PDB file of all heavy atoms in Angstrom:
ATOM      1  N   THR B 281      -2.533  21.634  13.155  1.00  0.00           N
ATOM      2  CA  THR B 281      -2.619  20.455  12.296  1.00  0.00           C
ATOM      3  C   THR B 281      -4.083  20.273  11.910  1.00  0.00           C
ATOM      4  O   THR B 281      -4.948  20.230  12.785  1.00  0.00           O
ATOM      5  CB  THR B 281      -2.141  19.200  13.047  1.00  0.00           C
ATOM      6  OG1 THR B 281      -0.814  19.424  13.536  1.00  0.00           O
ATOM      7  CG2 THR B 281      -2.126  17.986  12.136  1.00  0.00           C
ATOM      8  N   ILE B 283      -6.829  17.966  10.551  1.00  0.00           N
ATOM      9  CA  ILE B 283      -7.097  16.541  10.360  1.00  0.00           C
ATOM     10  C   ILE B 283      -8.547  16.373   9.931  1.00  0.00           C
ATOM     11  O   ILE B 283      -9.457  16.903  10.577  1.00  0.00           O
ATOM     12  CB  ILE B 283      -6.848  15.742  11.656  1.00  0.00           C
ATOM     13  CG1 ILE B 283      -5.404  15.964  12.131  1.00  0.00           C
ATOM     14  CG2 ILE B 283      -7.118  14.257  11.436  1.00  0.00           C
ATOM     15  CD1 ILE B 283      -5.073  15.285  13.445  1.00  0.00           C
ATOM     16  N   ARG B 296      -0.247  20.006   7.491  1.00  0.00           N
ATOM     17  CA  ARG B 296       0.533  20.701   8.526  1.00  0.00           C
ATOM     18  C   ARG B 296       1.678  21.466   7.869  1.00  0.00           C
ATOM     19  O   ARG B 296       2.341  20.941   6.973  1.00  0.00           O
ATOM     20  CB  ARG B 296       1.102  19.668   9.503  1.00  0.00           C
ATOM     21  CG  ARG B 296       2.111  20.192  10.508  1.00  0.00           C
ATOM     22  CD  ARG B 296       1.442  20.956  11.650  1.00  0.00           C
ATOM     23  NE  ARG B 296       2.389  21.279  12.709  1.00  0.00           N
ATOM     24  CZ  ARG B 296       2.244  20.942  13.982  1.00  0.00           C
ATOM     25  NH1 ARG B 296       1.176  20.276  14.383  1.00  0.00           N
ATOM     26  NH2 ARG B 296       3.148  21.289  14.874  1.00  0.00           N
ATOM     27  N   HIS B 309      12.171  12.751   7.653  1.00  0.00           N
ATOM     28  CA  HIS B 309      11.325  11.596   7.333  1.00  0.00           C
ATOM     29  C   HIS B 309      12.099  10.432   6.729  1.00  0.00           C
ATOM     30  O   HIS B 309      11.566   9.323   6.627  1.00  0.00           O
ATOM     31  CB  HIS B 309      10.224  12.001   6.347  1.00  0.00           C
ATOM     32  CG  HIS B 309       9.146  12.839   6.959  1.00  0.00           C
ATOM     33  ND1 HIS B 309       9.315  14.169   7.274  1.00  0.00           N
ATOM     34  CD2 HIS B 309       7.878  12.524   7.354  1.00  0.00           C
ATOM     35  CE1 HIS B 309       8.186  14.640   7.802  1.00  0.00           C
ATOM     36  NE2 HIS B 309       7.316  13.668   7.853  1.00  0.00           N
ATOM     37  N   THR B 310      13.322  10.668   6.286  1.00  0.00           N
ATOM     38  CA  THR B 310      14.048   9.606   5.578  1.00  0.00           C
ATOM     39  C   THR B 310      15.361   9.224   6.257  1.00  0.00           C
ATOM     40  O   THR B 310      15.923   8.181   5.943  1.00  0.00           O
ATOM     41  CB  THR B 310      14.357  10.031   4.121  1.00  0.00           C
ATOM     42  OG1 THR B 310      15.098  11.253   4.153  1.00  0.00           O
ATOM     43  CG2 THR B 310      13.080  10.214   3.321  1.00  0.00           C
ATOM     44  N   GLN B 317      13.714  10.193  16.344  1.00  0.00           N
ATOM     45  CA  GLN B 317      13.614  11.194  17.408  1.00  0.00           C
ATOM     46  C   GLN B 317      12.212  11.791  17.567  1.00  0.00           C
ATOM     47  O   GLN B 317      11.921  12.426  18.572  1.00  0.00           O
ATOM     48  CB  GLN B 317      14.619  12.325  17.159  1.00  0.00           C
ATOM     49  CG  GLN B 317      16.066  11.879  17.312  1.00  0.00           C
ATOM     50  CD  GLN B 317      17.036  12.991  16.947  1.00  0.00           C
ATOM     51  OE1 GLN B 317      16.777  14.154  17.211  1.00  0.00           O
ATOM     52  NE2 GLN B 317      18.163  12.643  16.351  1.00  0.00           N
ATOM     53  N   THR B 319       9.114  10.110  15.925  1.00  0.00           N
ATOM     54  CA  THR B 319       7.998   9.206  15.621  1.00  0.00           C
ATOM     55  C   THR B 319       7.631   8.354  16.832  1.00  0.00           C
ATOM     56  O   THR B 319       8.501   7.956  17.595  1.00  0.00           O
ATOM     57  CB  THR B 319       8.359   8.299  14.437  1.00  0.00           C
ATOM     58  OG1 THR B 319       8.545   9.131  13.295  1.00  0.00           O
ATOM     59  CG2 THR B 319       7.256   7.297  14.153  1.00  0.00           C
ATOM     60  N   GLY B 320       6.345   8.061  16.965  1.00  0.00           N
ATOM     61  CA  GLY B 320       5.881   7.199  18.052  1.00  0.00           C
ATOM     62  C   GLY B 320       5.597   8.017  19.296  1.00  0.00           C
ATOM     63  O   GLY B 320       6.113   9.129  19.465  1.00  0.00           O
ATOM     64  N   GLU B 327      12.496   1.676  19.062  1.00  0.00           N
ATOM     65  CA  GLU B 327      13.639   0.981  18.469  1.00  0.00           C
ATOM     66  C   GLU B 327      13.356   0.738  16.993  1.00  0.00           C
ATOM     67  O   GLU B 327      12.412   0.022  16.641  1.00  0.00           O
ATOM     68  CB  GLU B 327      13.884  -0.363  19.164  1.00  0.00           C
ATOM     69  CG  GLU B 327      15.077  -1.106  18.570  1.00  0.00           C
ATOM     70  CD  GLU B 327      15.051  -2.603  18.871  1.00  0.00           C
ATOM     71  OE1 GLU B 327      14.387  -3.004  19.842  1.00  0.00           O
ATOM     72  OE2 GLU B 327      15.671  -3.362  18.121  1.00  0.00           O
ATOM     73  N   THR B 338      12.080  -1.060   2.802  1.00  0.00           N
ATOM     74  CA  THR B 338      11.163  -1.464   3.864  1.00  0.00           C
ATOM     75  C   THR B 338      11.568  -0.817   5.181  1.00  0.00           C
ATOM     76  O   THR B 338      12.690  -0.316   5.320  1.00  0.00           O
ATOM     77  CB  THR B 338      11.162  -2.993   4.056  1.00  0.00           C
ATOM     78  OG1 THR B 338      12.481  -3.424   4.398  1.00  0.00           O
ATOM     79  CG2 THR B 338      10.749  -3.705   2.769  1.00  0.00           C
ATOM     80  N   VAL B 342       9.794  -0.983  16.727  1.00  0.00           N
ATOM     81  CA  VAL B 342       9.105  -1.494  17.910  1.00  0.00           C
ATOM     82  C   VAL B 342       9.012  -0.368  18.928  1.00  0.00           C
ATOM     83  O   VAL B 342      10.022   0.288  19.223  1.00  0.00           O
ATOM     84  CB  VAL B 342       9.893  -2.660  18.561  1.00  0.00           C
ATOM     85  CG1 VAL B 342       9.060  -3.301  19.668  1.00  0.00           C
ATOM     86  CG2 VAL B 342      10.324  -3.681  17.542  1.00  0.00           C
ATOM     87  N   GLY B 348       6.520  -3.048  29.813  1.00  0.00           N
ATOM     88  CA  GLY B 348       7.065  -4.168  29.043  1.00  0.00           C
ATOM     89  C   GLY B 348       6.253  -4.523  27.806  1.00  0.00           C
ATOM     90  O   GLY B 348       6.598  -5.463  27.093  1.00  0.00           O
ATOM     91  N   PHE B 353       5.538  -2.399  14.340  1.00  0.00           N
ATOM     92  CA  PHE B 353       5.006  -1.766  13.137  1.00  0.00           C
ATOM     93  C   PHE B 353       5.956  -2.056  11.973  1.00  0.00           C
ATOM     94  O   PHE B 353       7.167  -2.106  12.179  1.00  0.00           O
ATOM     95  CB  PHE B 353       4.894  -0.247  13.330  1.00  0.00           C
ATOM     96  CG  PHE B 353       4.047   0.155  14.505  1.00  0.00           C
ATOM     97  CD1 PHE B 353       4.595   0.225  15.783  1.00  0.00           C
ATOM     98  CD2 PHE B 353       2.701   0.430  14.346  1.00  0.00           C
ATOM     99  CE1 PHE B 353       3.813   0.579  16.880  1.00  0.00           C
ATOM    100  CE2 PHE B 353       1.916   0.779  15.442  1.00  0.00           C
ATOM    101  CZ  PHE B 353       2.469   0.848  16.707  1.00  0.00           C
ATOM    102  N   ALA B 384       2.297  11.055   1.363  1.00  0.00           N
ATOM    103  CA  ALA B 384       2.692  12.331   1.962  1.00  0.00           C
ATOM    104  C   ALA B 384       3.344  13.190   0.892  1.00  0.00           C
ATOM    105  O   ALA B 384       4.345  12.791   0.287  1.00  0.00           O
ATOM    106  CB  ALA B 384       3.649  12.102   3.129  1.00  0.00           C
ATOM    107  N   THR B 396       1.143  17.378   3.213  1.00  0.00           N
ATOM    108  CA  THR B 396      -0.244  16.944   3.062  1.00  0.00           C
ATOM    109  C   THR B 396      -0.244  15.430   2.988  1.00  0.00           C
ATOM    110  O   THR B 396       0.414  14.855   2.115  1.00  0.00           O
ATOM    111  CB  THR B 396      -0.849  17.527   1.766  1.00  0.00           C
ATOM    112  OG1 THR B 396      -0.703  18.950   1.791  1.00  0.00           O
ATOM    113  CG2 THR B 396      -2.319  17.166   1.630  1.00  0.00           C
ATOM    114  N   ILE B 419      -0.837  12.322  16.326  1.00  0.00           N
ATOM    115  CA  ILE B 419      -0.312  13.105  15.205  1.00  0.00           C
ATOM    116  C   ILE B 419       0.230  14.446  15.708  1.00  0.00           C
ATOM    117  O   ILE B 419       1.322  14.871  15.343  1.00  0.00           O
ATOM    118  CB  ILE B 419      -1.413  13.326  14.144  1.00  0.00           C
ATOM    119  CG1 ILE B 419      -1.749  11.997  13.464  1.00  0.00           C
ATOM    120  CG2 ILE B 419      -0.984  14.373  13.122  1.00  0.00           C
ATOM    121  CD1 ILE B 419      -3.030  12.034  12.660  1.00  0.00           C
TER     122      ILE B 419
END
Side-chain angles (χ1 to χ4, degrees):
Chain B
T281 304
I283 303 177
R296 171 77 171 236
H309 287 75
T310 57
Q317 292 175 36
T319 296
E327 180 200 338
T338 60
V342 188
F353 303 85
T396 305
I419 291 166

